[in-house]
């Protein structure tokens, strides 16, 4: 331990391409109301995915898999996940995947009590330049939430020309 702390150990130098020690980044919420339609769920997903994407960028990580967790008013929970075409830290891509998963797993006749999103299968973004699947550099664009969710805009990255 002394050798390690003194910087005299024989441990190999780790690559930036190495898998992250952080296994996933997630966010969930139990709103003050039951989620009864896709519009309400979409507004919540925007907020959750924006938070996750921001935290991934702060830690220089991208996820290769997105998972959505739901719990209905009978407290029955389920989770669905899907792989992304490419590792991402872009809120817009997380929202798109989350909505796809929500539509597959939610019987809209049963209101939701809680909703969560998780980015997992994380990789470092330091070894790659910030670019979208098309190779075009990404820019930040302010996306407005649908009318009743919030009066402020969310920062969500998007690719030019995509």
């Amino acid at each position: 331990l002394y050798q390690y702390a003194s910087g005299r150990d024989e441990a190999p130098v780790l690559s930036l391409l190495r898998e992250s020690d952080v296994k996933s980044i997630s966010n969930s919420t139990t709103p003050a109301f039951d989620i009864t339609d896709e519009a309400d769920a979409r507004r919540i997903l925007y907020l959750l995915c924006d938070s996750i994407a921001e935290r991934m960028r702060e830690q220089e990580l991208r996820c290769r898999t997105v998972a959505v967790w739901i719990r209905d008013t009978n407290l029955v929970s389920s989770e669905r996940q899907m792989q992304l075409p490419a590792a991402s830290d872009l809120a817009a891509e997380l929202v798109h995947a989350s909505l796809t998963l929500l539509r597959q797993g939610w019987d809209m006749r049963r209101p939701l009590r809680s909703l969560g999103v998780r980015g997992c299968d994380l990789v470092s973004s330091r070894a790659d330049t910030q670019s979208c699947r098309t190779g075009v550099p990404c820019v930040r664009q302010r996306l407005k939430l649908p009318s009743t969710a919030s009066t402020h805009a969310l920062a969500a990255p998007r690719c030019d020309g995509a």
Side-chain angles (χ1 to χ4, degrees):
L1 184 60
Y2 176 79
Q3 294 294 331
Y4 180 78
S6 300
R8 295 183 219 152
D9 66 322
E10 299 295 321
V13 176
L14 299 177
S15 167
L16 290 176
L17 300 175
R18 178 178 148 263
E19 298 274 333
S20 168
D21 291 338
V22 176
K23 300 300 180 198
S24 66
I25 296 177
S26 63
N27 201 355
S28 63
T29 188
T30 302
F33 58 91
D34 290 340
I35 304 166
T36 58
D37 59 35
E38 187 176 317
D40 285 341
R42 187 179 325 113
R43 289 180 196 99
I44 292 169
L45 287 175
Y46 274 110
L47 295 169
L48 297 175
C49 290
D50 187 62
S51 167
I52 293 166
E54 182 177 352
R55 289 168 46 208
M56 282 195 291
R57 287 189 298 273
E58 287 171 357
Q59 296 183 47
E60 297 179 312
L61 297 170
R62 292 182 182 158
C63 66
R64 294 186 284 202
T65 303
V66 173
V68 170
W69 170 81
I70 59 175
R71 181 170 53 208
D72 67 22
T73 53
N74 293 328
L75 304 181
V76 175
S77 299
S78 66
E79 181 176 306
R80 288 186 173 265
Q81 64 182 18
M82 68 183 288
Q83 287 191 328
L84 298 174
S88 180
D89 61 2
L90 303 177
E93 292 183 2
L94 300 180
V95 168
H96 177 74
S98 297
L99 280 170
T100 299
L101 292 167
L102 181 70
R103 289 175 181 140
Q104 291 173 356
W106 180 25
D107 176 359
M108 291 191 198
R109 295 173 295 185
R110 301 184 79 152
L112 296 180
R113 191 68 212 106
S114 299
L115 182 58
V117 179
R118 180 169 42 99
C120 46
D121 196 12
L122 301 176
V123 294
S124 173
S125 63
R126 289 178 282 178
D128 189 19
T129 59
Q130 179 70 21
S131 63
C132 296
R133 281 182 243 126
T134 61
V136 177
C138 291
V139 296
R140 305 261 180 247
Q141 175 181 339
R142 297 195 63 84
L143 296 177
K144 295 208 183 233
L145 282 174
S147 60
T148 59
S150 176
T151 57
H152 68 280
L154 289 177
R158 151 183 168 341
C159 289
D160 281 342

